[in-house]
Amino acid sequence: MQVDLNRVIEQVSKEKGIDKTIVINAVEEMMHSAARRTFGPDRNIESRFNPDIGEIELFEIKTVVEKVNNAASEADVKEARAKYDPEAEVGDEILIKLDTATMGRIAAQAAKQNLIQHIRDAERKQIFNEFKDRKQEVVSGIVQRFERKNMIVNLGRTEAILPEKEQIPHERYRQGDRIRALILDVDLSEKGLAIILSRTSTDFLMKLFEQEVPEIYEGIVEIRQSAREPGGRAKVAVHSKDSDVDAVGACVGMKGTRVQSVVQELRGEKIDIVPWTDDQAELVCRALAPAKVSKVIIDEDEHAMEVIVPDDQLSLAIGKRGQNVRLAHRLTGWKLDVRSEAEAEEEARSARASLNAIPSIGDINAELLYQWGFRSAEQLAEADENAFDVEGISAERAQQIINAAREHVANKKLQAEAKAQAAALAAAAAADTASTVEGATAGEPEEAETSAIAAPELSEADHDAGEKAEDAGGKS
């Protein structure tokens, strides 16, 4: 225990990147733990590091009293004055230095383990403090190993985990490969330090653009919104604060070098870059690129848009397995219903026919209702007359139209029920007829069988009668 700890503390502090004060506290705690094991837990012991001699000194603290009731924590005033402090008074605390050489091997081993644990805890806290402010930052590391499909990445001073769900599908890495990822979360718990990485986060895509495009880093161009399906496709809406700077061109780069660097990092993920606009309908049209849009119908109440595209553009607008329209929805935040022109025309024709079928509604009112968003007589019948507000139709006329629609829908329902009832009766009658015919057909084979049995008997009798006639003729 007579080792110069100054040099050891200095070395550990540099290697682990831990403050010297933390290391000294850990060593003091180590010696305190060993002393309690050696001298007993009842004694009040304190450990202090003495930098002048490079040692940890142990002291037993006792209170000076007139009469000792507890020998472990109290000292008689006469004894205290004679052995420790000639000026000791009742109530004073005296420090009695203990001999560290008397500590046993087991206590020393336990103290060593305690020191290692304290240094590890201090190192974890140091790393946590270093990384807790680096969330949403892209870091580079080396693939260390795999644990249950989770990737362990070596970041230098510590290890981070890239969970399976944060890995890009169909992306393969081997041990020793270099990898870049976004720090998603940093957590320090009783189980230890956990740094969670992600390659599927939308923020990872935005940070890659920030690293590749100086205009984004400087704040001239900003990414207003982004959406991605990791490993498949991504859409990014960008806006330039400087009218002289083309936001899309800045992100694409000369001959596409900038965007290709991001695509290469994401292992071939396709990226669509669209210019941002505050006109939401125009933004949706741009988000659905490369498909061309013919018409957009906006429903503010439902925060939805009906998008009409040419017939030959429908599959392009929807994308493979609906990918293009899904990304456009995430990018703009609007619910999108993409339809072809032919489908829209057929629906409009059907809607106008349904509204025109209402008695005494008139073509003009039917067209006004259609333009206002009503698509069928049933939808109009369910409308609230108090909240009904269609430009060009008065409140009185609106009441008449809604009542007519409700009466029309009720009549249609009665007709449908009557038709269904008639069809059921017809089906029942047909079933009864089929049952009767089946019964009649089933009886015919029995009669045929009886005839077939009787016929041979009659033939045999006739045969016998013929033979007798022939014998009689011969005798005569």
Side-chain angles (χ1 to χ4, degrees):
M1 293 293 179
Q2 301 301 320
V3 180
D4 184 6
L5 291 179
N6 282 315
R7 182 174 53 82
V8 176
I9 291 172
E10 187 75 27
Q11 183 179 355
V12 172
S13 177
K14 288 182 179 180
E15 288 180 356
K16 301 294 183 180
I18 305 173
D19 187 77
K20 285 178 63 176
T21 305
I22 297 175
V23 180
I24 291 172
N25 291 337
V27 174
E28 288 178 348
E29 180 64 27
M30 171 201 73
M31 290 299 294
H32 183 265
S33 175
R36 287 174 63 86
R37 282 177 171 270
T38 302
F39 302 106
D42 296 333
R43 299 174 71 172
N44 189 6
I45 297 175
E46 182 180 285
S47 60
R48 294 179 183 178
F49 175 69
N50 189 341
D52 296 332
I53 60 176
E55 290 183 10
I56 295 291
E57 295 179 326
L58 294 177
F59 296 95
E60 182 180 6
I61 304 174
K62 287 189 176 184
T63 304
V64 179
V65 295
E66 291 183 357
K67 184 178 181 181
V68 177
N69 295 320
N70 185 357
S73 60
E74 296 175 345
D76 180 79
V77 62
K78 294 181 180 180
E79 181 184 0
R81 289 174 179 175
K83 292 184 178 180
Y84 310 116
D85 186 2
E87 299 180 357
E89 298 291 339
V90 175
D92 290 349
E93 287 187 344
I94 57 175
L95 300 180
I96 305 171
K97 189 173 182 179
L98 300 177
D99 185 7
T100 57
T102 59
M103 296 172 60
R105 181 181 59 83
I106 296 177
Q109 185 66 24
K112 179 182 178 182
Q113 294 296 329
N114 193 297
L115 174 62
I116 294 172
Q117 185 62 40
H118 272 73
I119 292 177
R120 284 177 179 173
D121 292 342
E123 189 177 10
R124 288 195 191 103
K125 290 180 181 178
Q126 186 81 7
I127 296 172
F128 172 75
N129 292 331
E130 177 185 341
F131 280 91
K132 69 177 182 179
D133 297 327
R134 295 179 63 185
K135 290 183 182 180
Q136 305 302 309
E137 181 180 321
V138 176
V139 293
S140 179
I142 297 175
V143 178
Q144 195 79 9
R145 61 187 184 278
F146 295 89
E147 294 180 358
R148 298 179 181 178
K149 297 184 179 180
N150 297 327
M151 189 185 301
I152 308 301
V153 180
N154 188 351
L155 299 181
R157 289 190 59 195
T158 186
E159 291 181 345
I161 181 171
L162 181 63
E164 181 185 7
K165 65 178 182 179
E166 299 297 338
Q167 300 174 23
I168 297 177
H170 312 299
E171 197 175 54
R172 296 291 178 267
Y173 282 92
R174 294 178 297 179
Q175 188 175 1
D177 289 349
R178 182 164 290 277
I179 187 172
R180 295 169 74 189
L182 182 82
I183 298 179
L184 193 64
D185 190 23
V186 180
D187 180 50
L188 182 63
S189 63
E190 295 179 356
K191 296 181 179 179
L193 177 65
I195 301 175
I196 310 300
L197 304 179
S198 174
R199 283 180 59 83
T200 61
S201 171
T202 306
D203 293 330
F204 180 54
L205 172 67
M206 297 170 66
K207 287 293 182 180
L208 290 176
F209 268 106
E210 185 177 318
Q211 291 181 353
E212 295 295 336
V213 182
E215 290 83 354
I216 295 179
Y217 180 79
E218 294 170 2
I220 300 173
V221 175
E222 60 179 350
I223 299 177
R224 287 289 182 88
Q225 192 58 267
S226 62
R228 65 181 294 217
E229 290 190 357
R233 197 180 195 93
K235 289 183 182 290
V236 180
V238 294
H239 173 71
S240 175
K241 296 180 180 179
D242 188 343
S243 58
D244 295 332
V245 177
D246 177 19
V248 176
C251 294
V252 173
M254 185 70 67
K255 297 182 181 180
T257 53
R258 293 177 176 176
V259 71
Q260 283 303 318
S261 297
V262 178
V263 170
Q264 186 176 0
E265 175 61 37
L266 298 178
R267 302 296 179 95
E269 185 174 314
K270 298 178 182 178
I271 301 176
D272 298 333
I273 303 174
V274 299
W276 174 269
T277 176
D278 293 329
D279 185 345
Q280 296 298 296
E282 178 63 24
L283 180 62
V284 167
C285 295
R286 296 176 182 180
L288 286 171
K292 297 179 181 179
V293 178
S294 302
K295 185 179 179 182
V296 176
I297 302 171
I298 302 176
D299 185 351
E300 294 284 356
D301 296 335
E302 297 292 333
H303 199 67
M305 291 190 189
E306 183 179 341
V307 183
I308 311 300
V309 299
D311 296 349
D312 60 344
Q313 297 282 304
L314 181 61
S315 60
L316 191 62
I318 295 175
K320 185 178 181 181
R321 298 178 182 175
Q323 185 183 70
N324 195 54
V325 71
R326 276 199 309 273
L327 289 174
H329 157 65
R330 295 176 190 171
L331 189 72
T332 62
W334 287 79
K335 298 177 185 176
L336 303 179
D337 183 11
V338 181
R339 300 186 180 185
S340 65
E341 291 179 345
E343 184 181 355
E345 290 175 3
E346 178 60 30
E347 183 179 332
R349 192 181 302 111
S350 174
R352 289 188 173 97
S354 177
L355 293 171
N356 281 318
I358 301 173
S360 69
I361 190 173
D363 294 341
I364 296 177
N365 289 331
E367 184 62 27
L368 287 173
L369 290 169
Y370 174 77
Q371 295 297 334
W372 206 254
F374 291 98
R375 294 294 180 262
S376 66
E378 288 76 12
Q379 186 180 358
L380 181 59
E382 295 174 356
D384 183 6
E385 55 268 21
N386 296 324
F388 190 89
D389 184 18
V390 177
E391 187 177 352
I393 301 178
S394 64
E396 184 179 354
R397 181 57 177 153
Q399 183 67 49
Q400 295 174 357
I401 291 174
I402 293 175
N403 290 336
R406 290 172 180 172
E407 185 177 351
H408 172 67
V409 171
N411 290 334
K412 280 181 64 178
K413 186 176 181 181
L414 290 174
Q415 292 175 6
E417 290 176 354
K419 188 176 180 180
Q421 187 175 6
L425 291 174
D432 291 341
T433 304
S435 177
T436 304
V437 172
E438 184 180 352
T441 306
E444 290 178 359
E446 294 181 1
E447 296 178 1
E449 185 178 354
T450 304
S451 301
I453 294 172
E457 292 178 356
L458 292 173
S459 299
E460 190 174 344
D462 291 341
H463 179 68
D464 292 340
E467 287 182 352
K468 290 179 181 179
E470 288 179 1
D471 293 341
K475 288 179 181 180
S476 60

